[in-house]
Amino acid sequence: NAGVTQTPKFRILKIGQSMTLQCTQDMNHNYMYWYRQDPGMGLKLIYYSVGAGITDKGEVPNGYNVSRSTTEDFPLRLELAAPSQTSVYFCASSYPQDTRSTIYFGEGSWLTVV
Amino acid sequence: AQKVTQAQTEISVVEKEDVTLDCVYETRDTTYYLFWYKQPPSGELVFLIRRNSFDEQNEISGRYSWNFQKSTSSFNFTITASQVVDSAVYFCALSEAYDMRFGAGTRLTVKP
């Protein structure tokens, strides 16, 4: 069972560079999410999607973009990377039948902006 | 707005001690879910428990137990006879609608 898969696991970016964090899930979940976790902190929601073609901002969306062309994939785009975006990024998905059900997380992507 | 408070930033215990991690939440919804996740040093998030707002029964799973009290808006987590492998950051979380809001986490260190 693959679950939620994120790539890359580790990445170092220079200030001003751009990159895409990939996320795919094989559980046919409609809901997908991107969270970031800063050192010593809890997770904060960046963007979420309730289905293919539908995305919306979470708590901390600035500096990021997302797309949802398929049910399985939910990439996160960082434009003009800044040191403040150094964080661990978690992609997640949840069951379509209940928006308040358990959310399943990927293993995380460690991003450093220097 | 929903909010989760984990007042204990760090806890250190000696193996075999019991330890309780506190979680207090705020919400305007009458229907919501509460969760606990474990984040070991390897970094992944491990689901531990989900409890809906209509089910106040305490739950026990092996050495883990959870005490949900709506009257005090608390959802506390107790580890009995702690072990070194329990060392991790534990997050409490609240879900009202599409997203899940996390507390800041409690770092538990269990010393041998």
Side-chain angles (χ1 to χ4, degrees):
Chain A
N1 292 336
V4 179
T5 303
Q6 296 178 229
T7 57
K9 194 169 179 67
F10 299 97
R11 182 74 186 268
I12 298 175
L13 274 182
K14 293 184 178 179
I15 294 172
Q17 286 185 324
S18 300
M19 74 160 296
T20 299
L21 296 175
Q22 301 292 344
C23 176
T24 187
Q25 52 91 11
D26 61 358
M27 297 174 281
N28 198 33
H29 289 172
N30 278 359
Y31 284 73
M32 295 188 74
Y33 314 82
W34 274 105
Y35 285 89
R36 61 177 285 173
Q37 183 182 22
D38 296 332
M41 304 292 289
L43 281 73
K44 293 187 177 180
L45 183 65
I46 304 171
Y47 270 95
Y48 69 99
S49 169
V50 300
I54 305 170
T55 63
D56 209 344
K57 297 178 181 178
E59 189 179 358
V60 289
N62 291 343
Y64 307 94
N65 279 300
V66 293
S67 60
R68 186 91 182 273
S69 57
T70 67
T71 299
E72 295 79 18
D73 301 310
F74 190 41
L76 177 72
R77 178 83 176 164
L78 280 73
E79 304 282 2
L80 298 175
S84 61
Q85 293 178 303
T86 294
S87 190
V88 182
Y89 292 83
F90 288 94
C91 181
S93 68
S94 64
Y95 284 114
Q97 297 89 342
D98 184 354
T99 61
R100 298 163 189 180
S101 67
T102 301
I103 295 181
Y104 293 87
F105 288 87
E107 293 185 342
S109 297
W110 275 252
L111 176 67
T112 301
V113 181
V114 296
Chain B
Q2 60 198 108
K3 182 180 177 182
V4 178
T5 302
Q6 294 180 256
Q8 303 152 307
T9 305
E10 295 191 30
I11 300 175
S12 181
V13 300
V14 176
E15 205 169 21
K16 297 185 182 179
E17 285 186 21
D18 298 346
V19 58
T20 295
L21 310 181
D22 298 332
C23 174
V24 175
Y25 63 92
E26 296 177 26
T27 178
R28 296 176 184 172
D29 271 12
T30 56
T31 303
Y32 51 89
Y33 279 83
L34 294 163
F35 301 79
W36 276 94
Y37 282 85
K38 174 183 180 179
Q39 188 174 43
S42 51
E44 75 273 21
L45 284 160
V46 179
F47 167 76
L48 294 177
I49 190 173
R50 178 188 71 175
R51 171 68 74 226
N52 74 56
S53 53
F54 298 107
D55 184 2
E56 286 194 73
Q57 287 188 357
N58 292 335
E59 179 151 341
I60 298 174
S61 176
R63 296 184 297 107
Y64 295 169
S65 62
W66 290 270
N67 182 4
F68 175 30
Q69 291 191 336
K70 289 180 74 172
S71 60
T72 57
S73 297
S74 63
F75 187 43
N76 297 337
F77 173 31
T78 298
I79 302 174
T80 303
S82 60
Q83 300 176 1
V84 173
V85 293
D86 295 327
S87 296
V89 180
Y90 291 86
F91 290 100
C92 180
L94 166 68
S95 177
E96 290 176 348
Y98 59 83
D99 72 325
M100 181 180 290
R101 294 298 173 105
F102 286 79
T106 297
R107 179 177 299 279
L108 174 65
T109 301
V110 182
K111 299 178 181 178

